[in-house]
Each structure stands twice: as C-alpha cells, then as structure tokens.
C-alpha cells in the first residue's frame, strides 16, 4: 500500500494514543478483553504498523482491529478543523484550505484502509 506523508501522519497520530485505541477494543464485546489486555496487545503490535502497511505484509487479527480503529477515526481531521486560525505545525497557522486538505486525505485514507478489511 502506498501512503502519502499526510496519510502516515494521520495514522501515526492515532497510533500515538494507544490508550484510546485500547479502550475501543476493550469496549467491543466480540473480543471480551479488559482494557489492560487490549493495551498490552496494541503496545506489542502497533509499533511498526505503518511499515507493515507500506510493505503489504499480512496483518494479524489485532493489527486488523487497529486498522479498523484508524479507518473509523476522524480525530485528526476534527482537530485540524478546530485549529483554524491557530498554530498547527512548525508555527504555521492552520488555514481553512489546509484543514479541508486534511479532511479529504483522512476520508481517502479511511476508504483505502477499509478495503484492507
């Protein structure tokens, strides 16, 4: 899978909050996991997920669940939207155009990731 720099940034943003991802997994009755079990699984498997995606390696069950979480998460785009007029990255101000680009990229990424599932 080819990922743009911004797509990788969006994925990494979600990977940087394994506690939120673990909470989602623990709340899924299908898996019957405690938060601690979910966190341990993700803590072990999330590092390197982007590399696995870009090298088209087969994902295990828990990596697939992480991809599902990322593919259904709009947090990064909402943060960009809420940052319009404020500093975002490297002291650059978030503009409506930049936020729109992030939304579009996020939606395209979500579609791309959903095709993996």
């Amino acid at each position: 899978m080819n990922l743009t720099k911004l797509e990788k940034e969006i994925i990494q943003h979600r990977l940087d909050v394994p506690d939120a991802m673990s909470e989602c997994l623990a709340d899924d009755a299908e898996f019957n996991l405690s938060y601690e079990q979910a966190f341990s699984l993700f803590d072990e498997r999330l590092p390197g997920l982007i590399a696995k995606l870009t090298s088209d390696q087969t994902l295990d069950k828990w990596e697939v669940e992480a991809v599902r979480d990322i593919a259904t998460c709009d947090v990064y785009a909402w943060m960009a939207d809420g940052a319009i007029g404020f500093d975002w990255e490297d002291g650059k101000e978030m503009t409506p155009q930049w936020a729109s680009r992030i939304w579009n990229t996020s939606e395209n990424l979500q579609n791309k990731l959903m095709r993996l599932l």
Side-chain angles (χ1 to χ4, degrees):
M1 167 183 295
N2 291 321
L3 295 171
T4 67
K5 180 182 175 194
L6 183 53
E7 287 173 334
K8 289 177 186 176
E9 203 173 293
I10 292 167
I11 292 171
Q12 190 60 53
H13 178 266
R14 189 64 178 165
L15 295 177
D16 286 344
V17 285
D19 54 328
M21 294 181 73
S22 301
E23 197 171 299
C24 292
L25 185 60
D27 286 344
D28 191 327
E30 176 186 347
F31 299 110
N32 194 29
L33 296 172
S34 70
Y35 168 82
E36 291 77 15
Q37 291 169 315
F39 189 89
S40 179
L41 283 167
F42 280 159
D43 188 47
E44 178 183 322
R45 287 175 171 81
L46 293 184
L49 183 61
I50 292 173
K52 279 188 99 167
L53 290 170
T54 57
S55 65
D56 295 324
Q57 292 180 32
T58 302
L59 304 177
D60 70 21
K61 173 182 179 175
W62 305 114
E63 291 163 337
V64 167
E65 288 309 311
V67 168
R68 185 181 321 280
D69 179 276
I70 294 164
T72 58
C73 179
D74 289 330
V75 171
Y76 192 82
W78 280 112
M79 287 175 53
D81 207 43
I84 293 173
F86 297 97
D87 286 347
W88 178 258
E89 181 180 282
D90 299 327
K92 297 178 191 170
E93 183 178 303
M94 176 58 69
T95 64
Q97 295 81 7
W98 192 4
S100 178
R101 180 174 165 252
I102 289 172
W103 268 108
N104 290 335
T105 301
S106 180
E107 289 171 357
N108 290 337
L109 174 62
Q110 290 173 357
N111 290 331
K112 190 184 289 189
L113 292 175
M114 289 303 283
R115 285 193 296 269
L116 288 176
L117 310 174

